[in-house]
Amino acid sequence: MIKTNEVRQSTDRAIDEIVDRYGAKPNALIMILQDVQKHHRYLSRDDLKSVAGKMNIPLAQIYGVATYYKSFSLKPKGKNHICVCTGTACHVRLAQVIIEKFETDLKIKAGQSTPDMEFSLETVNCLGACALGPLVTANEVYFGNMNATKVDKLLARLKGKEIEEKAEEEAA
Amino acid sequence: MNAERISSPRDLDELRKRIINQRQENKTIITICAGTGCLACGCEPVASAFKTALQQSGLDKEVEVRTTGCHGFCERGPLVVIQPQGIFYQRTKPSDVKMIVERTIKKGELVDRLLYRDPQTNEVIVHEKDIPFYKRQMRLVFGKNGFMDPTSINDYIALGGYQALARALTAMQPEEIIDEVKKSGLRGRGGGGFPTGKKWASCRKAQGSPKYVICNADEGDPGAFMDRSLLEGNPHSVIEGMVIGAYAIGSNDGYVYVRNEYPLAVKNLSIAIKAAREHGLLGKDILGTGFGFDIEVSRGGGAFVCGESTALMASLEGRTGEPRAKYIHTVDAGLWNKPSNLNNVETWANVPLIIERGADWYAGIGTASSKGTKVFALTGKVNNTGLVEVPMGITLREILYGIGGGVPGNKKFKAVQTGGPSGGTLIVEREWQLDQKKAPQYKSIPKDEEAMSLIDLPVDFEELTRVGSMMGSGGMIVMDEDSCMVDVAKYFLNFLQEESCGKCLPCREGIRIMLKILTRISEGAGKTEDIALLEEMSRAIADTSLCDLGRSAPNPIMSTIRYFRSEYQAHIIDKRCPAGVCKELVSHAIDNNCNGCHACFKPCPTDAIIGTIRQLHTIDQDKCIQCGACYQICKFDAIRRVKRGEGGEIQRKAQEVWKPKTKTQPAAMA
């Protein structure tokens, strides 16, 4: 319990810092929430309350904004964040195949996270690199001209990377 | 960067001269495209490899490495252009860098392997300007992109940047600027095509203060990315345009509302704004004229409807981005209920060009009602994808064949989609029509529509609207015979359903029901009266929705029904998807073209593919879930997508005639 309090306090300090950086102006609300979200990859109930208190904006309005815009998530997200572009250009180059491939391999649907919280799968309207479709970003790195074989490689790499990191930790 | 304040137009001239003098003339500059497209292809390691290689050869003083904004030819990235000669290397890898330095930089020889080869004529082309993709373009707004580092204000000033601003602030009255913009015929590049000068004039006249100037960089159209590219590649041109506009309108506060999905655009724009402030080109007393204006960057939350002006302003105020009815225009009461002038990124970037070169020059480009150039994002099933800037009035043929280089493989163009989800899908070529023989049996197809092809349509605001689409922000998605028009309409409706803010009923409920009908059709459960019902609903939604998202939502359906009615009927009457996309109606099968490369075996998620290497493969029709993974990977056109139930027959025939291919080319595992 003490530990969660400590985490809360450090998050609150971080929120204070973020709000101070932009100033408690209503037009900065979306950016403030985006930066807060970077901390735990989602917005918790307590995060929203802290922002509301700090900015003196009704919690209802903040909840409205946090649920209206696509860039916010009120659910925890996985460690590796995979985003499949479903823009028109990617769609005509069979982005659906890529989504289904990820869905079968990770055994989750788009918008969900794996039970071990290693991966979350999402779709995005357009990433703006349409010439390279179908496009996928994994932890904000772009991968263009995707196909099923490349999905296998990408997932292997993401899983492998993790193993390497663990091995390094153990070695240390 | 030296943060020297420029306090008069003469200072600006002197700084420019000094920058140019400091730079050696004819110095070799290796420019590397660092737009998001090339970044995704891995241009960063190439740039650092160049720096290391030059250092090792002791050439780092004589040769400059410059990472620039987007060159537009994303298909061929990472792009490397060696200036001043303009030698164009494409698909460069870090391992190629050593050879370029050894041969091209040191000896002046060419590395043939990396040069561009025209896919149609097979001709090797050395210089960037001679490549058909660039040759037929008119790059004005994007003109400086390939030559400057977007994070360097000095590069922009050296290329003549901020000269238009100096002229506007010192030699022109605000009314003169508005007249000049009116005379140029510039129209909003965000989609609507409203005359920019007229908008400025109304905002100038509007009562109330402060007034706001806003740049709409919430480019939401899937398939369009010119605004991202401009902000990434030449943010100063947008800033310059905004300052000129603010001076003309009488505003001191500006906002740029940019998509959060474009991190590099946000970064480069913020760097540019900071540099402009330090140089006295933003902030108080700009260029010593006493006029003050500053810009704030606001990141969007990822809602498509926020591209609509009133929704964008609501979002800027920190609220949910719901549009309101516009009987009071935003130029009278917009952001915080104050007069606000909103223009799109590309519109702002056009302004300095008009002031610099004059309205008459600008009005000389384009058609009677659409002036200047337009940037299109050419994507989808076309050989040369990327950003193309062309004069208004150019034909689709010129864009698709001349610049785009035709369709990949042995396929034919079928349609072009412009204007994003609010636009329409236009028919391009008729020959693809697999249904030609069957068409007469669907009696309701008017004769003139059957014969229609819009390949020679001149592209401008009026023409696109006339044929049932719109300019939009300039997405141009090319589709070949593999794209199903019912599926495309379904795709856009699905998108719009998700993005509808839910405020007004016709949009919220209407789109949902139309999507339900389309889904029914694509699953083979359509009814004959469905097409008429869709048309009727489309008219009602277009007439009664609150904002443009709803009013234009039926466009994807209306246009596909208008040009591809027979395809709808094939789904409804025949229970067949001619393009082989709609899963419930299709079977995948492998035909005689199979050479046993085995590439399709692994991607199949249900292990439905049977076969060993160099042998004919088959698809287990019971196991296949029609996902299309094999179709996407096959390089030999061996996978056929046919009517549900006909797959087995094709595979039986293939087994009878198939012979091992003499020259087996194992497909490179992509």
Side-chain angles (χ1 to χ4, degrees):
Chain A
M1 201 59 208
I2 297 162
K3 205 183 168 194
T4 39
N5 269 340
E6 273 172 16
V7 172
R8 191 65 242 155
Q9 276 168 9
S10 86
T11 314
D12 279 342
R13 270 198 302 278
I15 290 175
D16 284 355
E17 216 171 87
I18 292 167
V19 174
D20 287 340
R21 193 175 342 129
Y22 291 101
K25 299 171 293 186
N27 63 324
L29 177 62
I30 293 172
M31 291 190 282
I32 288 171
L33 289 179
Q34 278 164 354
D35 286 4
V36 172
Q37 181 169 270
K38 274 185 195 155
H39 271 262
H40 319 291
R41 301 189 290 269
Y42 83 109
L43 292 168
S44 68
R45 177 189 278 257
D46 289 334
D47 290 341
L48 296 184
K49 278 186 187 164
S50 300
V51 174
K54 179 83 184 163
M55 293 185 73
N56 207 12
I57 292 177
L59 183 60
Q61 189 188 337
I62 295 194
Y63 182 76
V65 167
T67 49
Y68 184 84
Y69 294 102
K70 265 205 161 160
S71 58
F72 302 119
S73 168
L74 301 186
K75 275 188 290 185
K77 279 189 194 169
K79 211 158 124 194
N80 289 302
H81 188 214
I82 294 169
C83 217
V84 185
C85 180
T86 56
T88 324
C90 291
H91 179 81
V92 303
R93 289 194 184 181
L94 304 178
Q96 197 54 38
V97 173
I98 309 297
I99 298 170
E100 279 166 23
K101 176 76 182 162
F102 274 117
E103 286 181 341
T104 350
D105 286 4
L106 296 171
K107 299 187 181 68
I108 48 171
K109 291 276 159 206
Q112 295 176 339
S113 305
T114 51
D116 60 359
M117 294 310 279
E118 287 297 328
F119 290 94
S120 50
L121 179 65
E122 262 178 38
T123 60
V124 62
N125 284 338
C126 187
L127 289 164
C130 315
L132 303 169
L135 196 73
V136 170
T137 64
N139 302 327
E140 284 168 24
V141 181
Y142 286 73
F143 296 88
N145 294 316
M146 290 299 284
N147 57 37
T149 319
K150 284 188 182 174
V151 170
D152 282 334
K153 281 186 191 161
L154 176 61
L155 282 177
R157 213 173 108 183
L158 289 171
K159 285 175 188 160
K161 198 175 113 194
E162 229 180 75
I163 293 161
E164 272 168 30
E165 274 170 9
K166 267 185 199 155
E168 274 168 21
E169 270 171 30
E170 275 164 22
Chain B
M1 192 181 291
N2 56 334
E4 165 187 13
R5 207 179 154 81
I6 306 167
S7 47
S8 70
R10 184 185 287 172
D11 276 9
L12 180 69
D13 272 339
E14 276 172 11
L15 176 64
R16 185 181 174 202
K17 275 182 204 145
R18 226 169 38 239
I19 298 167
I20 294 171
N21 283 340
Q22 273 167 8
R23 294 182 174 177
Q24 287 163 281
E25 226 175 303
N26 289 328
K27 183 180 181 178
T28 305
I29 301 169
I30 302 171
T31 61
I32 299 157
C33 175
T36 294
C38 282
L39 277 175
C41 302
C43 73
E44 267 177 328
V46 174
S48 49
F50 266 114
K51 282 178 189 155
T52 330
L54 289 172
Q55 244 164 24
Q56 280 167 357
S57 356
L59 286 166
D60 50 331
K61 290 269 164 358
E62 289 129 72
V63 182
E64 187 185 332
V65 178
R66 190 180 289 174
T67 47
T68 68
C70 180
H71 291 223
F73 204 175
C74 311
E75 177 80 25
R76 299 284 171 156
L79 306 176
V80 172
V81 182
I82 295 164
Q83 303 286 10
Q85 302 93 326
I87 299 166
F88 182 84
Y89 289 136
Q90 39 120 37
R91 293 188 177 147
T92 330
K93 292 193 185 66
S95 52
D96 299 324
V97 165
K98 213 165 181 184
M99 190 180 266
I100 296 176
V101 172
E102 286 302 319
R103 293 191 34 198
T104 311
I105 305 293
K106 284 189 182 165
K107 296 183 195 150
E109 297 167 2
L110 298 169
V111 183
D112 288 351
R113 181 168 58 83
L114 298 171
L115 291 170
Y116 176 79
R117 191 179 287 269
D118 192 310
Q120 283 164 332
T121 60
N122 233 353
E123 182 194 353
V124 174
I125 299 168
V126 178
H127 298 107
E128 187 178 28
K129 61 178 188 341
D130 298 328
I131 293 168
F133 178 80
Y134 289 109
K135 209 164 142 185
R136 294 171 200 232
Q137 292 189 46
M138 186 188 246
R139 290 171 82 86
L140 302 176
V141 175
F142 270 116
K144 295 190 176 87
N145 255 29
F147 298 95
M148 57 177 278
D149 176 349
T151 58
S152 157
I153 192 169
N154 282 356
D155 278 6
Y156 186 64
I157 290 174
L159 289 165
Y162 289 110
Q163 296 290 337
L165 175 69
R167 184 160 170 246
L169 291 190
T170 53
M172 292 172 91
Q173 292 300 315
E175 289 81 6
E176 281 178 71
I177 297 174
I178 292 179
D179 283 344
E180 194 76 2
V181 174
K182 270 187 186 165
K183 218 166 75 185
S184 74
L186 175 65
R187 294 170 66 175
R189 295 291 193 253
F194 191 81
T196 307
K198 210 172 147 190
K199 197 187 235 179
W200 289 14
S202 336
C203 194
R204 181 169 177 79
K205 268 192 226 127
Q207 297 294 318
S209 92
K211 289 177 180 171
Y212 294 105
V213 163
I214 304 166
C215 171
N216 182 354
D218 188 61
E219 187 176 48
D221 283 13
F225 53 102
M226 59 288 295
D227 293 353
R228 168 182 71 69
S229 209
L230 259 175
L231 282 179
E232 276 173 19
N234 193 353
H236 284 289
S237 65
V238 181
I239 297 172
E240 189 178 359
M242 283 180 78
V243 184
I244 295 171
Y247 173 68
I249 290 160
S251 157
N252 309 105
D253 299 290
Y255 287 96
V256 179
Y257 185 85
V258 56
R259 283 186 83 191
N260 191 41
E261 286 89 338
Y262 293 170
L264 186 62
V266 175
K267 189 179 141 217
N268 285 0
L269 177 67
S270 305
I271 293 172
I273 288 176
K274 190 163 169 272
R277 260 184 219 142
E278 285 169 356
H279 282 74
L281 297 162
L282 268 182
K284 285 179 192 149
D285 194 20
I286 295 172
L287 286 171
T289 57
F291 172 69
F293 176 72
D294 211 339
I295 297 174
E296 248 183 80
V297 179
S298 222
R299 297 198 305 265
F304 174 69
V305 71
C306 286
E308 201 274 347
S309 58
T310 55
L312 187 149
M313 289 172 196
S315 177
L316 263 181
E317 292 172 11
R319 296 187 284 123
T320 51
E322 287 175 1
R324 62 161 173 82
K326 280 201 273 191
Y327 40 81
I328 300 171
H329 295 293
T330 51
V331 287
D332 291 312
L335 187 62
W336 317 111
N337 257 330
K338 301 290 181 197
S340 308
N341 183 91
L342 177 123
N343 284 119
N344 158 276
V345 173
E346 199 187 329
T347 317
W348 287 120
N350 268 292
V351 171
L353 295 170
I354 293 168
I355 301 299
E356 199 183 324
R357 303 207 205 171
D360 293 331
W361 164 80
Y362 194 85
I365 307 163
T367 61
S369 59
S370 308
K371 301 295 184 192
T373 60
K374 176 78 193 90
V375 184
F376 288 101
L378 192 60
T379 57
K381 302 289 186 63
V382 63
N383 271 317
N384 302 334
T385 55
L387 285 179
V388 302
E389 185 176 350
V390 289
M392 294 274 191
I394 191 172
T395 61
L396 277 175
R397 185 189 296 276
E398 230 357 61
I399 297 180
L400 297 181
Y401 284 102
I403 297 169
V407 77
N410 297 321
K411 307 262 163 76
K412 286 210 171 79
F413 282 129
K414 177 173 184 178
V416 160
Q417 206 282 339
T418 68
S422 314
T425 308
L426 305 175
I427 191 158
V428 179
E429 280 173 351
R430 251 304 161 186
E431 298 91 289
W432 60 270
Q433 185 54 284
L434 304 163
D435 270 7
Q436 203 92 53
K437 279 183 215 132
K438 286 208 161 190
Q441 91 185 42
Y442 313 129
K443 288 192 181 103
S444 56
I445 300 171
K447 267 269 164 297
D448 58 330
E449 277 179 26
E450 244 335 91
M452 194 154 208
S453 159
L454 295 173
I455 188 82
D456 287 310
L457 181 86
V459 179
D460 71 6
F461 286 106
E462 267 69 33
E463 287 294 313
L464 283 176
T465 313
R466 186 178 64 79
V467 296
S469 183
M470 63 187 277
M471 182 71 85
S473 59
M476 193 174 267
I477 296 123
V478 183
M479 300 173 199
D480 64 4
E481 50 202 288
D482 281 348
S483 297
C484 165
M485 291 302 122
V486 177
D487 177 70
V488 167
K490 200 173 101 184
Y491 164 80
F492 281 117
L493 266 270
N494 190 33
F495 175 89
L496 289 163
Q497 184 203 235
E498 272 176 34
E499 292 297 336
S500 168
C501 75
K503 188 171 178 176
C504 73
L505 182 124
C507 171
R508 184 183 65 231
E509 294 302 317
I511 293 176
R512 194 175 62 85
I513 293 166
M514 288 207 294
L515 178 62
K516 217 169 132 189
I517 299 171
L518 278 177
T519 310
R520 179 160 86 202
I521 294 175
S522 75
E523 286 171 355
K527 302 174 190 160
T528 33
E529 62 272 21
D530 276 351
I531 297 181
L533 181 58
L534 282 173
E535 285 175 317
E536 193 191 329
M537 288 189 68
S538 294
R539 281 191 294 273
I541 293 171
D543 286 345
T544 55
S545 291
L546 180 68
C547 80
D548 279 334
L549 184 138
R551 276 197 292 271
S552 59
N555 278 350
I557 292 193
M558 293 290 270
S559 60
T560 44
I561 293 183
R562 177 168 167 187
Y563 297 112
F564 303 95
R565 188 179 283 265
S566 61
E567 206 168 322
Y568 276 84
Q569 281 161 328
H571 283 77
I572 296 170
I573 301 168
D574 251 11
K575 312 291 177 210
R576 197 165 61 86
C577 174
V581 174
C582 299
K583 274 186 185 176
E584 279 73 11
L585 304 178
V586 82
S587 280
H588 282 72
I590 297 177
D591 74 2
N592 192 29
N593 283 336
C594 177
N595 71 353
C597 77
H598 209 54
C600 56
F601 183 80
K602 236 181 114 192
C604 181
T606 55
D607 298 327
I609 296 194
I610 308 158
T612 49
I613 199 150
R614 292 194 190 89
Q615 291 300 318
L616 174 69
H617 287 52
T618 50
I619 296 173
D620 184 333
Q621 295 291 310
D622 296 329
K623 275 189 184 171
C624 177
I625 53 165
Q626 324 298 344
C627 72
C630 52
Y631 185 82
Q632 193 183 35
I633 223 136
C634 181
K635 289 198 167 61
F636 302 94
D637 281 336
I639 312 273
R640 297 265 307 271
R641 305 195 290 191
V642 292
K643 188 180 173 178
R644 180 58 68 89
E646 289 175 359
E649 184 56 32
I650 286 176
Q651 299 199 131
R652 255 192 304 284
K653 272 188 195 153
Q655 265 158 351
E656 282 166 22
V657 294
W658 190 83
K659 285 192 193 88
K661 305 282 183 274
T662 41
K663 275 191 216 161
T664 310
Q665 303 163 319
M669 291 289 271

